[in-house]
Amino acid sequence: MSRHSGARKQSRLDRQLQALQDACSLGEGILPDEPLQEALRVLERASSRRSLSAEHTVVGFFGATGSGKSSLFNAVSGAEIATAAARRPTTSEPLAGVWGAAGSEALLDWLEVGHRHHAAPVKGFADEESGLILLDLPDFDSTRAANREIVQRMVGMVDVLVWVLDPQKYADAAVHNGFLAPHASHGAVTLVVLNQVDRLPQRDVEPVLDSLRGILAGEGLGKVRVLASSAVTGAGIDGVREAIRKVALERQAQSRRLEADVTRAAGGLHDALGDGEAAGVRSPAKARLAEELAVAANVPAVVQAVSQSYRLESVRRTGWPVTRWLSRFRPDPLRRFNLRSTAPAGLNRTSLPPAGAPERARTDAAVREFADAASAGAPGPWRAAIRGAAREGRDRLPDALDQAIAGADLGANRKAWWWAVFNVVQWLALLTVLAGLGWLGVLAALGYFQMPVPEVPRVEGWPVPTLMIALGVVLGIFLAITGRFIAAGAARARAARARRRLNAAVAAVAQELVVDPVEVEISRLSAFNAALKTAA
């Protein structure tokens, strides 16, 4: 394999490891503990293995009692490194045959292999330049728990797995279900050897190998190389050596093994959570949420108060001066709600009725409906996380909504330009009435005291003082009635502006306390899925 190809594989492995790390971080608190811990163990093993010798390939021989594993190990090594025995267990501690001692010590320490043998060169197989370490391991069906623990640990640590099977137990469910099938993703660094074929008639060797290949294919290991050998006759030993030698020369077993580990860990995370992306936050759902929160926060009542307050203020400023003072006995609804306060928005609060059970139920239902719509399609645990994020700010909603309403610009203290015009004309009309009444009063007084009464000017036969009184009264009443119509239209416009501003304020609160947390969780899920895809 070229140096550039090796660099590309390392770069890909780097991306996979980083993606698995990201997936673990993103899924923390959501992922079940077991697959999360397994993924973290993979990351820890990968970090440790990559910090050790990259020039050595560690090949582990795994097998059941009686499979001839140690004998095969000796035959491949070309020396009696391991002592074959018929009793169980045949091997109680890991034993290493090492070609290329330089740099191997730290790696073997990490593997916790104490028995080490610096093997002699084997022509055409391995020498000091090969950087090859063969491990003879305890039987995985050993009656000793310590031996089984060693095997389980080594399965997760060696670079290449050589499974040694025998013709009698090659289909043993314990072997396949307990070890081979769970490591289906490690096919690139797995070699299966059917040992002791000397015990089979020659005509039966190929059928047994075909049967073994069929079993492996059903477990997802259809591409794994299957070899036949006999440590007694030496048949197939060269083939086993060549397969191991090829892996060692490529110097990619470590990366392939780690890639397989990451792929398996990513698969575990995926299986734990399931598949799917959240539907996400849609504009209609956001609008529906804001609408429901606005109703629960008494926005309609405030809008109505804005309209009523404007009409009342218009009467006070443009009504007939003779009767407008009566309006002062009517309370201003905005002042009653404390919405004419000039206090800073952050300190101001309304006097609106506190949220009761119906309002709280409506708020909860709106938040739940929004969260359900946004989380649709997400895996079950993540749907729960999205719903939890939506409910996280639920207790702060009432106060935040009240503060938003109190801080909204309702135009409550803003005067209309036409009020001044109508007010001036009303007072002029009243002065006209008073002038006419005064004129007539003077004439009446002169007549009463038998004094000469001057001739009163007339217009079309009507005395001017009388016309002044009539004109003033009619004009005042006309302006008062007209002002009410104008006030009604302007009140609707001001109420509409207030409704838009209040809805915007409520929507901002909903965005901060409900929508943003939900979007964070949805983005987290999307990033988790992307990381998991890269890792796998």
Side-chain angles (χ1 to χ4, degrees):
M1 181 173 289
S2 70
R3 182 168 54 189
H4 295 298
S5 178
R8 283 196 298 272
K9 284 191 74 66
Q10 285 297 322
S11 177
R12 184 174 69 181
L13 177 59
D14 289 338
R15 289 195 299 272
Q16 283 185 276
L17 288 169
Q18 183 59 55
L20 184 60
Q21 177 68 63
D22 293 342
C24 289
S25 298
L26 291 164
E28 192 171 0
I30 297 175
L31 288 164
D33 188 63
E34 186 176 343
L36 177 60
Q37 292 304 317
E38 176 59 28
L40 292 174
R41 284 193 290 269
V42 166
L43 290 168
E44 184 179 357
R45 286 200 302 266
S47 176
S48 298
R49 180 63 183 94
R50 298 181 85 196
S51 69
L52 299 169
S53 175
E55 300 302 316
H56 286 81
T57 301
V58 183
V59 181
F61 281 67
F62 300 86
T65 304
S67 64
K69 167 177 53 63
S70 295
S71 298
L72 179 64
F73 175 85
N74 286 335
V76 172
S77 302
E80 292 294 321
I81 298 176
T83 301
R87 62 184 176 85
R88 298 180 68 176
T90 57
T91 306
S92 60
E93 294 184 9
L95 174 67
V98 183
W99 287 266
S104 66
E105 295 299 319
L107 178 55
L108 289 168
D109 289 342
W110 176 65
L111 291 167
E112 299 180 18
V113 177
H115 298 283
R116 309 168 187 182
H117 180 81
H118 294 169
V122 177
K123 186 176 180 181
F125 174 54
D127 54 29
E128 284 298 306
E129 301 298 321
S130 300
L132 179 63
I133 299 175
L134 298 186
L135 297 181
D136 184 27
L137 300 167
D139 302 330
F140 53 64
D141 61 348
S142 172
T143 56
R144 292 183 59 191
N147 288 356
R148 295 196 300 273
E149 289 174 3
I150 290 173
V151 173
Q152 289 285 2
R153 179 170 58 83
M154 286 299 185
V155 164
M157 298 177 77
V158 300
D159 299 327
V160 180
L161 301 98
V162 177
W163 296 99
V164 183
L165 308 177
D166 65 86
Q168 285 73 38
K169 295 189 291 185
Y170 74 89
D172 188 353
V175 176
H176 290 270
N177 297 337
F179 291 92
L180 285 167
H183 290 82
S185 59
H186 294 69
V189 290
T190 299
L191 184 66
V192 176
V193 179
L194 181 67
N195 195 28
Q196 301 176 345
V197 293
D198 55 289
R199 297 184 178 181
L200 291 173
Q202 187 62 38
R203 65 179 181 277
D204 292 339
V205 173
E206 279 303 319
V208 171
L209 287 174
D210 289 340
S211 173
L212 176 56
R213 291 188 185 100
I215 294 172
L216 293 172
E219 296 165 344
L221 289 162
K223 295 183 179 180
V224 169
R225 189 173 180 183
V226 179
L227 300 172
S229 71
S230 171
V232 175
T233 66
I237 298 301
D238 288 340
V240 176
R241 285 175 173 171
E242 178 58 30
I244 294 174
R245 179 175 179 273
K246 181 180 179 182
V247 171
L249 288 176
E250 287 179 345
R251 295 281 194 270
Q252 292 300 315
Q254 177 200 135
S255 296
R256 288 174 179 170
R257 169 60 203 256
L258 293 177
E259 285 179 3
D261 285 346
V262 172
T263 299
R264 182 185 177 193
L269 297 182
H270 175 272
D271 293 342
L273 279 185
D275 210 352
E277 290 279 359
V281 175
R282 307 287 174 82
S283 295
K286 284 173 62 175
R288 172 70 175 167
L289 173 66
E291 179 182 337
E292 289 298 308
L293 293 182
V295 173
N298 291 309
V299 165
V302 175
V303 171
Q304 184 179 8
V306 168
S307 176
Q308 292 174 347
S309 177
Y310 184 87
R311 290 199 297 269
L312 180 60
E313 191 67 18
S314 296
V315 170
R316 288 174 179 173
R317 294 179 178 272
T318 67
W320 195 26
V322 177
T323 58
R324 70 168 64 172
W325 60 274
L326 294 173
S327 63
R328 299 191 181 277
F329 292 100
R330 295 172 57 191
D332 186 335
L334 283 182
R335 198 174 301 281
R336 181 160 49 89
F337 288 155
N338 196 34
L339 291 173
R340 285 189 178 275
S341 174
T342 56
L347 302 176
N348 196 16
R349 292 294 186 274
T350 73
S351 298
L352 288 165
E359 289 77 19
R360 288 195 297 271
R362 186 163 193 154
T363 297
D364 290 346
V367 171
R368 185 170 57 253
E369 179 183 346
F370 173 79
D372 287 345
S375 64
W382 224 290
R383 290 196 72 179
I386 293 172
R387 293 192 191 105
R391 293 193 300 268
E392 199 171 74
R394 180 175 53 185
D395 293 339
R396 295 163 52 201
L397 268 175
D399 186 65
L401 290 171
D402 187 81
Q403 186 174 338
I405 291 173
D409 181 12
L410 304 179
N413 298 315
R414 194 175 300 128
K415 299 177 181 179
W417 63 268
W418 62 275
W419 289 352
V421 175
F422 271 54
N423 190 46
V424 169
V425 177
Q426 281 282 31
W427 281 106
L428 288 175
L430 181 60
L431 289 175
T432 302
V433 171
L434 293 176
L437 289 174
W439 194 342
L440 291 178
V442 170
L443 293 177
L446 291 175
Y448 180 77
F449 289 107
Q450 300 297 310
M451 295 177 65
V453 179
E455 185 69 25
V456 178
R458 295 178 178 272
V459 176
E460 298 292 334
W462 291 90
V464 170
T466 303
L467 289 176
M468 291 174 63
I469 295 170
L471 178 62
V473 171
V474 170
L475 181 59
I477 294 173
F478 172 78
L479 288 175
I481 295 174
T482 304
R484 286 181 179 272
F485 281 106
I486 295 174
R492 286 193 295 271
R494 180 166 288 192
R497 285 195 300 271
R499 180 182 289 107
R500 288 194 296 271
R501 288 169 180 169
L502 288 168
N503 286 341
V506 169
V509 171
Q511 182 74 36
E512 178 185 355
L513 297 183
V514 181
V515 179
D516 285 347
V518 165
E519 288 182 329
V520 166
E521 285 300 325
I522 291 173
S523 299
R524 189 177 163 199
L525 171 59
S526 180
F528 173 83
N529 284 337
L532 213 57
K533 183 178 180 181
T534 301

